[in-house]
Amino acid sequence: MLTQINGLHHVTSLASGAQSNNAFFTKVLGLRRVKKTVNFDAPDVYHLYYGDELGTPGTVMTYFPFPNAAPGRPGLGEVGTTVFAVPKGSLGYWEERLGAAGVSGLARETLFGEARLHFRGPDGDGFALVETDDDPRTPWTGNGVPEDVAIRGFHSAQMRVSDGGASEELMRFMGYEVTDRQDGTVRLRVPNGNGADTLDIETVRGANYAQQGAGSVHHIAFSVENRAAQLEVRKALLDTGYSVTPVIDRDYFWAIYFRTPGGVLFEVATNEPGFDRDEDTAHLGEALRLPTQHEHLRAKLTELLEPIHD
Ligand code: ZN
């Protein structure tokens, strides 16, 4: 069993528009845009990152906005709900704030004894806010959401698969422990994690597989401290029979990818070097940053990419 994984690092989804995506995550949810760059594998598409002040692993929601992308179809083999942690007693504030912003899908629920508020992102993305006690993480308050209600980072992600057993086995191998089961959903948690340390696996039988599009989660990334820990995880996964990519330099972290038995794309990303490696903390996320290999495309990309008005 692995001990290097600390919880989630980031969650990456697809969107249909950069401007609407940016406005939602910064102005409605109050997160900080910590990086404005491009998809390193397809540089004519943005890669936008939203999180706390520094984009601390476990707080970072990221998007590839493809202009006019068709909507995704929810189903099996994906992360259906991405869950943010908010302080106890703050769901009333959020229900009002999201309602006033015209956010759809607002619904209260209790899962595993925790109150949560479901809502939909701009492309129908499945999200929830869950009230947690004593989350020590410092929220970003620069976009007008008061500190006593602001998002602390991720709480969990909920995967939807046809056979949860194999996914559960993988998560246990990755260092997670089963803490609860309720109505076909198993809850796992990694000990001594980063706050974004919970994963729910929902088994649904007889449903269709998801079709990725705008509003779909593309992959979820798990956090490891450094490159040495990442290599240990990579070797263990390879030894267990997983097809894992080589280590890929994403400028702000190093990444490896593999697909789970349930069809979900997983990444393991390093906490080093972080989003402040090429920008001042005070101006994080403001300018378009391009990786060295795409810097020569700057003029063309500036022309091509949808303008984002903050
Ligand atoms: Zn990623």
Side-chain angles (χ1 to χ4, degrees), residues 233-289:
V233 171
R234 182 170 186 274
K235 181 176 186 311
L237 289 166
L238 285 169
D239 288 348
T240 311
Y242 285 96
S243 288
V244 188
T245 66
V247 175
I248 301 170
D249 184 357
R250 295 304 190 195
D251 276 17
Y252 310 106
F253 48 89
W254 280 271
I256 57 174
Y257 303 87
F258 65 102
R259 208 167 276 282
T260 72
V264 180
L265 185 60
F266 272 14
E267 174 184 342
V268 177
T270 59
N271 293 353
E272 58 178 0
F275 294 98
D276 56 352
R277 71 172 284 267
D278 61 352
E279 287 180 301
D280 272 355
T281 306
H283 297 285
L284 218 53
E286 291 176 10
L288 178 65
R289 306 301 307 187

Side-chain angles (χ1 to χ4, degrees), residues 149-219:
V149 293
I151 288 173
R152 266 50 185 169
F154 293 123
H155 165 273
S156 58
Q158 184 174 33
M159 291 166 43
R160 213 183 283 131
V161 295
S162 60
D163 175 10
S167 300
E168 182 182 320
E169 195 178 317
L170 169 62
M171 294 316 301
R172 293 165 84 120
F173 179 71
M174 288 169 64
Y176 282 68
E177 295 172 356
V178 173
T179 60
D180 213 344
R181 294 177 194 274
Q182 184 186 324
D183 304 334
T185 298
V186 56
R187 165 156 289 190
L188 299 104
R189 196 156 181 232
V190 68
N192 308 310
N194 61 8
D197 44 20
T198 298
L199 198 95
D200 292 336
I201 303 170
E202 183 186 8
T203 300
V204 183
R205 297 190 199 283
N208 289 318
Y209 273 79
Q211 202 175 310
Q212 280 201 341
S216 305
V217 172
H218 183 264
H219 65 268

Side-chain angles (χ1 to χ4, degrees), residues 18-292:
Q19 171 65 33
S20 53
N21 184 260
N22 183 77
F24 185 78
F25 286 90
T26 59
K27 295 190 168 66
V28 178
L29 294 188
L31 302 180
R32 184 184 200 189
R33 192 179 69 226
V34 294
K35 196 61 62 183
K36 179 162 76 169
T37 183
V38 293
N39 181 336
F40 288 13
D41 301 325
D44 55 343
V45 173
Y46 278 120
H47 196 174
L48 304 175
Y49 292 77
Y50 311 100
D52 69 359
E53 182 184 17
L54 293 174
T56 306
T59 74
V60 186
M61 186 72 215
T62 98
Y63 274 90
F64 299 132
F66 287 88
N68 308 311
R73 192 189 65 197
L76 299 175
E78 67 172 359
V79 168
T81 310
T82 304
V83 185
F84 294 103
V86 292
K88 270 257 186 301
S90 64
L91 287 188
Y93 168 90
W94 282 105
E95 197 162 22
E96 202 173 304
R97 182 181 179 90
L98 298 179
V103 172
S104 67
L106 292 175
R108 296 265 201 144
E109 190 197 19
T110 301
L111 188 66
F112 296 114
E114 296 167 333
R116 53 167 71 194
L117 174 66
H118 283 271
F119 65 98
R120 297 261 163 215
D123 290 296
D125 328 43
F127 284 115
L129 296 166
V130 63
E131 290 187 350
T132 57
D133 264 333
D134 304 324
D135 192 325
R137 295 177 289 177
T138 305
W140 174 249
T141 53
N143 285 327
V145 176
E147 177 159 13
D148 62 338
V149 293
I151 288 173
R152 266 50 185 169
F154 293 123
H155 165 273
S156 58
Q158 184 174 33
M159 291 166 43
R160 213 183 283 131
V161 295
S162 60
D163 175 10
S167 300
E168 182 182 320
E169 195 178 317
L170 169 62
M171 294 316 301
R172 293 165 84 120
F173 179 71
M174 288 169 64
Y176 282 68
E177 295 172 356
V178 173
T179 60
D180 213 344
R181 294 177 194 274
Q182 184 186 324
D183 304 334
T185 298
V186 56
R187 165 156 289 190
L188 299 104
R189 196 156 181 232
V190 68
N192 308 310
N194 61 8
D197 44 20
T198 298
L199 198 95
D200 292 336
I201 303 170
E202 183 186 8
T203 300
V204 183
R205 297 190 199 283
N208 289 318
Y209 273 79
Q211 202 175 310
Q212 280 201 341
S216 305
V217 172
H218 183 264
H219 65 268
I220 57 173
F222 295 87
S223 138
V224 290
E225 199 53 42
N226 54 38
R227 298 189 71 188
Q230 184 181 52
L231 288 176
E232 290 165 12
V233 171
R234 182 170 186 274
K235 181 176 186 311
L237 289 166
L238 285 169
D239 288 348
T240 311
Y242 285 96
S243 288
V244 188
T245 66
V247 175
I248 301 170
D249 184 357
R250 295 304 190 195
D251 276 17
Y252 310 106
F253 48 89
W254 280 271
I256 57 174
Y257 303 87
F258 65 102
R259 208 167 276 282
T260 72
V264 180
L265 185 60
F266 272 14
E267 174 184 342
V268 177
T270 59
N271 293 353
E272 58 178 0
F275 294 98
D276 56 352
R277 71 172 284 267
D278 61 352
E279 287 180 301
D280 272 355
T281 306
H283 297 285
L284 218 53
E286 291 176 10
L288 178 65
R289 306 301 307 187
L290 296 174
T292 312

Side-chain angles (χ1 to χ4, degrees), residues 285-300:
E286 291 176 10
L288 178 65
R289 306 301 307 187
L290 296 174
T292 312
Q293 65 270 31
H294 298 319
E295 191 57 58
H296 69 284
L297 299 171
R298 180 173 288 274
K300 191 181 143 205

